Amino acid sequence: MDTDLAEISAFVQTIPPFDQLPPVLLGKVVHAISICYLQQDEPLPPANCAVNPLFIIRKGALNYRDSLDELLGKYGEGDLCTVFCQTPLSSEIAVHTEEDTLLYSIDYQELELLVADYPAVLNFFIHSAEQRLNNKMSQINEDAIIASSLLNTSISQFYHSPVETIDQHCTIQDAAIKMTERKFSCLVIVNNHAQGDTSSPQPIGIVTDKDLRQRCIAKGLDFKQPVSTIMTKNMLTIKHNSSAYDALMLMTAKRIHHLPVMKKNRLHAMVTITDLMNNESQNAVNLTHIIRKAKNIDELVETSLLLPKLQIRMAKLGTTADHVGKSISAITMAFTIRLIELAEQKLGQAPVPYAWLAAGSQARQEQFAHSDQDNALIIADNMKPEDDQWFEQLARFVCDGLAKCGFIYCPGDIMATNPKWRQPQKKWHEYFSQWVETPSPKALLNSSVFFDLTTVHGDITLLEQVRERLLNKTQGNTLFLAHLSKNALMHRPPLGFFRDFVLVKNGENKKVLDLKHNGIAPIVDLARIYALSEGVSATNTIERLQQVAGSPSLTKASAANLIDAYEFLGLLRMEHQAKKLQINEQPDNYLVPKHISKLEREHLKDAFKVIKTLQDSRQSAY
Amino acid sequence: MLSHHPLFKWLIGYEIERKRNLLLAPSGPLKDFLSVPFPDVHSVFHEANILAVDFETTGLDAVQDKLLSVGFVEMSQQQIKLNTCYHQIINTKQKLKANNVVIHQITDQQQQKGQPLEVVVEALLKALAGKVMLVHYARIEREFLQQACLELYGVAPSFPIIDTLAIAKRRLDKKDVAYDPSELRLGALRKRYHLPQYFAHNALNDAIATAELLLAQTCHFSNKTRLKEFLL
């Protein structure tokens, strides 16, 4: 029987998770569909429907409301309605048609039998938002294994040249001494006298730390023997124009960690497995090296131009947002430190001990390229009034320098140039006492920036003492925490997507999704509250969540869910910003729903749900 | 044909007509079809068992032109059941005219692999037994099916039909405003009801499209509306 349902199949197969089914099975699923049509404002499910129907919206729209008649979400063409799939039916969600609606319905029990061999498809329906998000994140993290990204990269980006070599007649001890001195884990053994051509010694083998251990020490071999007795002959090499991926594959397959690189039949360089595994951070490290050596602001400015490129590269390599944030923050820190050093060269020694502090995203190690600067100065209490002049000049020099390097001035004037944030330690104690003891909206806004604080340069005890006293005050201070929570809960995630709009709580449609305020900031705020209420001193959001996991503030499972949500949102932001940076546009946090794939929308909705659940429980805690 | 005059139907009714034809029909698919009573015209419309049908033909004349393909799908309790769908190309045993191929998009090759007319008509009659036939623009399906039955079994039965075009026309006529006949096309009517656009025009897709249109046209009718309100 030729049953051509191509048109309906074509529609269904674009909808996750049905996109994972092979054509034959998709055909069977399509045959299991019943089509029904509902007028506007009718309740679901319609009469005469299967007991546990799964609905696919073909045309029209549905709205979900809770028992208090509050809008939970709206769904349009191509969205699934899984509310009725499970028995017992949830009595908390009421579904109605928003418009006249054409629905495809499938008996869920029948679907279960049909796709029994595709657990991923079923999991999509039965798993909670949290589980789906977790699956997504573990998959992303697997993908982030660098293999795939190394495909497009030449090994020339990773190898070291020239290679450390040693003559075959040298002793094992000579080799060990050379390796220790040069801090190398391997040497290439060469035959210097073969053709009397010393400019290109012929490599004849390789010796590694492991060889010293296994072939010499463990065997009780005399270390005065020539090194060639313990070398690996017939060593594997790779051509200089190979991809990093080839190198990694070869090393993984042969279980070796060092691979000499040959160019025109001559030993040219060495690549190690650690070089490849750490390649992204290596770049960040290199960049900090360059920054450290910069002689003046102009050189720093030049280096700062590499920062967006680094962020693009890291995003392309499939690095996690956490890793990018940490790398960029580390680089910003290096810029700041170098600027302070340059300032000290110019101004002379500081009159009293001090610490340069970074606040906000830099302190949390969650900074991206082109963030604005948030900084402050904490000065030893023995400073004299006239000392402030020195610190003011320092602040001016560093903040101006940072601005030249692309870190725009803080619009809220949270900078060391502002006398209010350039104060002796006792004043900082006072500030924090005030914020915690008499919370006001303004105070809370300040505290959220200054509760994420780290020492960039100088005497770290100055800040640690302030923080210690602060955490003692906040821990268990329900009034303060309640105020902080109330403030933090002002940023609510949206309900989801409706067609090409972002649907917010009151049923309004927005044209763009603000990843920062609608997703990332709420998690950052929650993590801060948990940390302050549990006396955790970490500032990084993921670290805070990890450290409070299992405490009265947050269960382990909820912490894991929040981390998944945070990483997913961070990933989307990173990819979005990489795209913007690549076309030389200012990176922002605004995603247009049209550009978000169906699957990403599902995961975003799941992330929103996780945030909302924890915000709600936070709200009810006070 | 006199038997299709509205007055005639009103006087005699489908059931009497069915019983009369049952006596005439030779044993076989048509007799089997006619031996199942048609749905009661006084029954509730929303509960009616309906078979949405569409034919592709080589032309508009049931006597000269040929039936090319048949598609149908069942609709019961206001739900279109895709597991009942059927689509079959018929081997007409003659070459197709090029200008027609553009419309129905069935090639000679596909046609030659098709089933003989009697196999397809038998399948259709079997599915249609005890149901109301749903079509868009009844003349084609009615005349071609009657002609096929006449050729195969020597009897041209009549059967109850719901026509989405007639429903739409009745609505527009009531409004007493001039309208363009093209507004009555299946695609145009679907658009008016915000139904999705179908691109592939084969007999099955059009049968489903017609069934969806009927759902949209009739969903606002009360649960008490009788089947006869919609019958031709």
Side-chain angles (χ1 to χ4, degrees), chain A residues 59-165:
Chain A
K59 193 84 197 192
L62 302 178
N63 61 54
Y64 292 11
R65 289 178 186 279
D66 65 10
S67 48
L68 301 170
D69 207 34
E70 194 181 320
L71 183 66
L72 296 173
K74 279 194 210 178
Y75 298 85
E77 290 78 19
D79 287 332
L80 296 173
C81 167
T82 56
V83 175
F84 310 104
C85 285
Q86 309 290 335
T87 318
L89 293 179
S90 161
S91 54
E92 279 157 32
I93 304 177
V95 183
H96 285 83
T97 48
E98 177 97 2
E99 309 166 354
D100 290 355
T101 301
L102 187 68
L103 289 170
Y104 292 168
S105 81
I106 304 175
D107 179 3
Y108 187 69
Q109 265 104 44
E110 193 180 342
L111 182 68
E112 267 183 324
L113 292 177
L114 280 173
V115 303
D117 293 337
Y118 290 82
V121 172
L122 281 182
N123 286 346
F124 193 90
F125 303 117
I126 53 182
H127 278 182
S128 62
E130 291 84 359
Q131 284 169 311
R132 277 197 303 258
L133 199 58
N134 180 264
N135 289 347
K136 170 73 180 167
M137 282 325 290
S138 14
Q139 184 204 325
I140 286 173
N141 290 336
E142 273 171 34
D143 293 351
I145 294 172
I146 44 175
S148 55
S149 55
L150 290 173
L151 205 51
N152 310 318
T153 321
S154 157
I155 44 170
S156 61
Q157 299 220 11
F158 303 106
Y159 61 53
H160 308 284
S161 186
V163 187
E164 289 299 322
T165 60

Side-chain angles (χ1 to χ4, degrees), chain B residues 21-191:
Chain B
N21 282 325
L22 182 60
L23 298 174
L24 299 172
S27 59
L30 184 62
K31 202 179 180 76
D32 295 346
F33 166 70
L34 290 171
S35 56
V36 183
F38 288 136
D40 183 355
V41 296
H42 300 291
S43 63
V44 174
F45 166 73
H46 285 326
E47 290 167 6
N49 289 330
I50 292 170
L51 191 74
V53 180
D54 187 63
F55 293 168
E56 301 279 325
T57 61
T58 59
L60 300 176
D61 184 333
V63 180
Q64 281 177 19
D65 293 313
K66 295 287 175 192
L67 197 49
L68 273 177
S69 70
V70 170
F72 60 75
V73 65
E74 280 179 30
M75 201 170 118
S76 61
Q77 309 277 1
Q78 300 230 283
Q79 311 225 1
I80 303 162
K81 307 283 187 187
L82 293 187
N83 58 359
T84 62
C85 71
Y86 176 94
H87 183 236
Q88 185 58 60
I89 292 171
I90 296 162
N91 187 351
T92 61
K93 294 174 182 131
Q94 58 178 223
K95 277 250 170 211
L96 296 171
K97 285 180 218 136
N99 56 345
N100 260 327
V101 174
V102 179
I103 300 168
H104 50 65
Q105 291 183 346
I106 294 170
T107 61
D108 277 318
Q109 248 181 340
Q110 285 174 307
Q111 211 223 134
Q112 277 155 24
K113 285 187 205 146
Q115 298 275 0
L117 181 69
E118 58 262 40
V119 174
V120 179
V121 170
E122 186 179 337
L124 173 59
L125 289 176
K126 210 170 170 180
L128 191 57
K131 297 190 188 78
V132 180
M133 180 154 129
L134 167 69
V135 293
H136 190 74
Y137 187 40
R139 188 173 77 87
I140 297 291
E141 277 75 16
R142 179 169 56 207
E143 288 182 2
F144 274 79
L145 181 57
Q146 282 178 335
Q147 182 61 33
C149 288
L150 200 58
E151 282 172 24
L152 293 169
Y153 317 112
V155 179
S158 70
F159 31 82
I161 294 179
I162 297 174
D163 183 350
T164 44
L165 185 144
I167 294 172
K169 188 169 184 300
R170 205 159 60 182
R171 250 178 90 107
L172 287 170
D173 287 344
K174 257 192 214 160
K175 282 190 189 161
D176 205 22
V177 183
Y179 58 86
D180 190 315
S182 70
E183 286 177 43
L184 294 173
R185 286 196 192 132
L186 182 58
L189 287 170
R190 285 178 60 88
K191 204 171 168 187

